[in-house]
């Protein structure tokens, strides 16, 4: 039961981060997710959830943007 709750928290957190990224960069949520996925930011959030979820969403958006830039993203 705890594992399922943690998975739901990760999913909710990822959705919130993608939504805020989309709003920040004026993208659709679908385009934001594709950009973040293709430039490794979704994998980054998944791998570093234990740290990232303790930061503000604005900090997470900045971190995702930096990961994307490091992986060829050009927003």
């Amino acid at each position: 039961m705890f594992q399922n709750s943690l998975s739901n928290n990760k999913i909710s957190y990822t959705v919130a981060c993608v939504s805020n990224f989309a709003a920040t960069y004026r993208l659709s949520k679908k385009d934001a997710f594709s950009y973040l996925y293709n430039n490794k930011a979704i994998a980054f959030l998944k791998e570093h959830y234990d740290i990232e979820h303790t930061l503000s969403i604005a900090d997470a958006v900045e971190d995702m943007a930096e990961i994307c830039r490091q992986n060829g993203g050009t927003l």
Side-chain angles (χ1 to χ4, degrees), residues 5 61 75:
S5 177
V61 168
L75 277 182

Side-chain angles (χ1 to χ4, degrees), residues 36-74:
L36 294 167
Y37 182 84
N38 291 334
N39 291 290
K40 314 285 190 254
I42 298 296
F44 171 82
L45 281 181
K46 184 178 177 183
E47 183 177 342
H48 299 287
Y49 171 79
D50 56 332
I51 296 167
E52 286 293 314
H53 86 281
T54 66
L55 305 173
S56 71
I57 294 290
D59 286 341
V61 168
E62 286 180 31
D63 290 347
M64 291 187 302
E66 180 58 28
I67 293 299
C68 289
R69 281 190 291 274
Q70 291 175 10
N71 287 289
T74 57

